[in-house]
Amino acid sequence: MKEGYLERIKLSQLRSFVAVAECGNFTEAALSLNVSQSAISHAIASLEEELGVILVARGRHGATLTPVGQSILSHAQDIMQSIDKIGHTAEAAKGLEGGQVRIASFRSVSTHILPAVIAKFRHAFPAIAITITEHQTLDIVEQQLRHGLADIGFTYLPASSDFDAWELFRDDYIVLLPPSAKGFHDPITWDELKRYPLIVTPAEDGCRILLRREFAKHNQTLNVAFEVREDSTIVSMVGQDLGAAVIARLAAQPIPPHVQVCRPPIPLERTIGVVTLVEAMHTPAVYAFLDALQTTKLEPLKW
């Protein structure tokens, strides 16, 4: 190896490597770091070139660490955690006159809940920077917290024991029916719901997992016609008579006037909570933002 090659290793390369290891593929890793997939690929390739070894085996079904990659992973994670501690020490010294709050969330909370909280917070603490990263799955939100890439996360409750958590609100599920739908009850019956092909989120999505579990309790299955990642696309497809959707009310907003709405055959809700890592060293800025969350009146929750 070339002398001094270690000095050329960049934190962005290590951060990308850790993200790929945790997510299992380049696409999810890019989403977790809010960068392009090509940036992740370039970072991994550059790191492998600097070290002179192959760290990640790329395949059709994702990315798998090689044996040497697995050995290096723990050292890379240690480095990232040390960098995070350096940052927290510096942020703590700034108090409320600077610093930042890093938030890991998902779209419906970022769109309908956080803007009001951030507006209130920025009015009181204009010098504190706020960054929000949106993630497609709750697992990635929790990974961001565990590995020091976020200070505050939004997920479904109950949360695992390594998080401090409190309930933010409960969001009920509704059934969206196409404009042509006729002759249904409110709540809709199971037989009536079965008339329509369902438009659902991907299998790993938190809402899909909840629906699958609750339907199974009543010996019902999801009649899936389309898998769509974005909530707004699901609502639009229902509006075009392509099927029906069982979706959290907050995620469905805004609902077009021509889309029909009723309650599901059984009451369904998701409990959305705020989580922080139990062992994390929080800065005054983070505590101030948590206080803003608890005291902000959440107007979007009134329907």
Side-chain angles (χ1 to χ4, degrees):
M1 295 182 184
K2 299 177 182 178
E3 185 178 353
Y5 71 97
L6 289 177
E7 284 78 1
R8 293 194 296 271
I9 293 177
K10 300 177 181 178
L11 290 177
S12 59
Q13 295 170 340
L14 294 177
R15 186 175 288 109
S16 297
F17 172 57
V18 171
V20 169
E22 292 170 351
C23 298
N25 64 71
F26 282 56
T27 301
E28 293 295 337
L31 289 171
S32 72
L33 296 181
N34 198 29
V35 298
S36 66
Q37 184 172 333
S38 61
I40 293 289
S41 298
H42 178 73
I44 297 298
S46 299
L47 181 59
E48 290 176 331
E49 183 178 355
E50 293 290 351
L51 294 176
V53 294
I54 300 299
L55 302 173
V56 180
R58 300 138 173 99
R60 293 178 58 188
H61 302 291
T64 305
L65 296 190
T66 63
V68 66
Q70 195 66 53
S71 298
I72 289 174
L73 175 61
S74 61
H75 301 301
Q77 290 173 329
D78 288 343
I79 291 171
M80 299 314 302
Q81 289 172 4
S82 295
I83 292 296
D84 183 62
K85 290 178 181 178
I86 291 172
H88 272 76
T89 301
E91 297 297 337
K94 297 176 184 177
L96 294 174
E97 299 303 321
Q100 67 172 340
V101 177
R102 302 167 301 166
I103 300 169
S105 182
F106 52 95
R107 189 202 65 83
S108 53
V109 167
S110 299
T111 301
H112 300 292
I113 301 302
L114 284 178
V117 180
I118 292 172
K120 176 180 178 179
F121 184 79
R122 289 302 300 273
H123 180 74
F125 308 107
I128 296 175
I130 298 173
T131 60
I132 302 172
T133 54
E134 292 185 357
H135 304 285
Q136 299 291 348
T137 66
L138 301 178
D139 286 345
I140 297 180
V141 170
E142 295 175 2
Q143 287 173 6
Q144 294 287 292
L145 292 165
R146 289 190 177 100
H147 296 294
L149 299 175
D151 305 303
I152 299 170
F154 292 86
T155 187
Y156 297 172
L157 299 184
S160 61
S161 59
D162 51 346
F163 293 116
D164 284 323
W166 51 270
E167 181 179 320
L168 185 62
F169 64 92
R170 298 191 179 190
D171 190 20
D172 65 312
Y173 278 72
I174 55 177
V175 178
L176 302 183
L177 295 173
S180 62
K182 296 179 180 179
F184 59 88
H185 295 84
D186 185 13
I188 195 170
T189 67
W190 290 113
D191 287 339
E192 289 169 346
L193 186 59
K194 288 177 181 177
R195 298 175 192 168
Y196 305 96
L198 289 182
I199 307 168
V200 299
T201 52
E204 70 276 9
D205 179 79
C207 284
R208 174 76 174 277
I209 293 170
L210 183 150
L211 290 179
R212 188 166 57 240
R213 181 183 69 235
E214 296 301 321
F215 273 48
K217 289 180 182 179
H218 295 268
N219 298 315
Q220 303 292 328
T221 58
L222 295 171
N223 178 23
V224 177
F226 302 98
E227 289 191 357
V228 181
R229 189 170 293 279
E230 297 297 333
D231 301 322
S232 57
T233 305
I234 292 176
V235 175
S236 180
M237 292 177 70
V238 173
Q240 293 297 322
D241 272 306
L242 292 173
V246 183
I247 188 171
R249 189 184 295 268
L250 190 68
Q253 302 300 314
I255 302 174
H258 60 283
V259 171
Q260 304 188 73
V261 180
C262 66
R263 289 168 292 173
I266 53 174
L268 295 173
E269 67 178 11
R270 58 177 181 174
T271 302
I272 295 178
V274 181
V275 293
T276 58
L277 197 63
V278 169
E279 60 187 25
M281 298 181 295
H282 299 307
T283 65
V286 172
Y287 284 117
F289 193 87
L290 289 171
D291 182 65
L293 270 171
Q294 291 178 312
T295 58
T296 301
K297 188 177 182 181
L298 302 178
E299 294 293 346
L301 298 182
K302 293 184 177 181
W303 288 287

